[in-house]
Amino acid sequence: MATNLKRNLNLQFLTSISKKGVQVCSISSTTSTTISSNHARIPDPSFVNTLNAPFDFDASCAVVYNEYITSTEEDLVANDIKNKMKRRRYEKGHWDAVINLYKEVEIADDSFQEEGDEKNNYSEGIPKLFNRIRQQLAEHHLTDYYDDQESIHWLPCHAIDLKKDGELNAHVDSVRFSGDLVAGLSLLSPSIMRLIPCDDNDDDDNKNSENSTKDEEPYYVDMFLPPRSLYVLTGVGRYKYSHQLLPDGSIFHKTDTDIVVRRDHRLSVIFRDSKQPSS
């Protein structure tokens, strides 16, 4: 079973280019159309590099599920998002200087249109897929914050289209309206998300910090986000660490090998719970 699962990996790891085991990660033309296996329901710790994390870093607050959705589901979501954004222009900057060369749109579960035979045979459409993700997040990542799942209220998802040379700089997502969790479904391109410890958060929208490099910041955590993966930030990963995407050509250090990640045009779908009212 383990051998078969590895064969379905939707990444292309090219031939080693140095004696140190450096590999290049890009998008593969071969994709799996079978429904995601049970292994996708368990976070893969090898996709989170904590070698440079503070000694008290809680690994459960920043996780990555590899191959969380199928390639068929990825195509379904990506095509619909592209259709929603086709008349939008790439923005050259955001008011808070966090993101550059991007498109963004809020999406509601009932906004997706399934035409003809494009309906997913496995998930019965995008709303069902989003509900499946939310159930996973509620059952495995929000139990410490809510008395029961019925108490959880979800904000509408939003999709981000980031060009290959676009930037997502270090920031902490707004705590004014969103709650204890930020999760993202990555589509089309691999990338590296870096978490950096920051000052205590407040009610400022999208609190951001200056970009830091490995030489400037002694503590950081890197998360490898292949296409079709799902990352989840909770607890200190949500509130006490900024997150950013590293540029094309950045290196992810994975156990016994270094992976050069070729970031390309990228789509993502962001999931957030609504901020709970003060008691």
Side-chain angles (χ1 to χ4, degrees):
M1 177 63 72
T3 301
N4 291 335
L5 294 178
K6 291 180 180 178
R7 290 174 181 171
N8 287 333
L9 186 63
N10 185 31
L11 298 172
Q12 181 183 35
F13 293 100
L14 302 182
T15 305
S16 175
I17 58 176
S18 80
K19 294 182 180 179
K20 294 182 179 180
V22 177
Q23 295 178 323
V24 178
C25 175
S26 59
I27 302 173
S28 173
S29 60
T30 59
T31 57
S32 168
T33 57
T34 58
I35 191 166
S36 300
S37 303
N38 288 333
H39 80 294
R41 303 295 179 263
I42 301 174
D44 190 333
S46 70
F47 283 66
V48 181
N49 182 351
T50 59
L51 291 178
N52 294 287
F55 72 93
D56 58 349
F57 178 75
D58 180 3
S60 67
C61 75
V63 302
V64 177
Y65 293 85
N66 183 34
E67 290 192 306
Y68 191 83
I69 64 172
T70 68
S71 60
T72 301
E73 292 168 333
E74 179 185 34
D75 290 343
L76 187 68
V77 177
N79 289 338
D80 204 300
I81 291 174
K82 289 178 182 178
N83 184 60
K84 284 178 169 59
M85 293 186 177
K86 64 183 178 182
R87 290 185 173 85
R88 295 174 180 258
R89 296 182 178 180
Y90 284 100
E91 300 288 338
K92 293 185 178 180
H94 193 264
W95 63 269
D96 57 10
V98 165
I99 191 168
N100 186 40
L101 295 178
Y102 74 102
K103 301 179 186 180
E104 186 173 17
V105 64
E106 184 177 285
I107 50 180
D109 293 350
D110 59 1
S111 68
F112 292 94
Q113 301 296 321
E114 298 172 330
E115 299 178 358
D117 295 331
E118 292 183 0
K119 184 174 180 180
N120 191 319
N121 292 328
Y122 302 108
S123 67
E124 297 183 12
I126 297 172
K128 290 287 184 68
L129 171 61
F130 283 10
N131 286 336
R132 191 181 85 201
I133 292 174
R134 286 170 175 155
Q135 183 177 0
Q136 174 81 9
L137 297 174
E139 291 179 354
H140 298 280
H141 298 282
L142 286 175
T143 55
D144 290 339
Y145 306 100
Y146 292 87
D147 294 332
D148 52 66
Q149 293 189 33
E150 288 71 26
S151 303
I152 303 173
H153 298 283
W154 296 97
L155 294 175
C157 293
H158 72 274
I160 300 174
D161 179 327
L162 189 67
K163 294 187 71 173
K164 178 178 180 178
D165 53 346
E167 299 176 346
L168 181 65
N169 298 319
H171 68 286
V172 176
D173 283 30
S174 171
V175 299
R176 185 169 297 175
F177 302 108
S178 57
D180 298 293
L181 175 147
V182 174
L185 185 65
S186 300
L187 309 173
L188 303 185
S189 171
S191 60
I192 300 174
M193 176 170 283
R194 174 162 293 181
L195 310 183
I196 298 175
C198 63
D199 295 333
D200 288 346
N201 203 4
D202 51 32
D203 287 336
D204 292 340
D205 282 340
N206 289 323
K207 181 177 178 181
N208 61 74
S209 58
E210 295 294 329
N211 273 337
S212 299
T213 64
K214 181 177 180 180
D215 294 333
E216 297 171 342
E217 179 56 56
Y219 297 121
Y220 62 90
V221 175
D222 281 349
M223 305 172 70
F224 180 38
L225 310 179
R228 302 192 283 121
S229 65
L230 177 72
Y231 73 83
V232 186
L233 303 177
T234 55
V236 295
R238 161 72 174 96
Y239 293 109
K240 305 298 184 182
Y241 283 70
S242 67
H243 60 274
Q244 62 185 293
L245 289 184
L246 300 187
D248 173 45
S250 297
I251 297 175
F252 180 78
H253 304 285
K254 185 179 181 183
T255 314
D256 59 350
T257 187
D258 290 344
I259 301 173
V260 180
V261 178
R262 295 301 182 189
R263 205 191 84 190
D264 209 314
H265 172 221
R266 178 179 188 270
L267 298 179
S268 59
V269 180
I270 308 302
F271 297 81
R272 296 188 182 97
D273 62 317
S274 178
K275 186 172 183 177
Q276 300 183 67
S278 301
S279 55

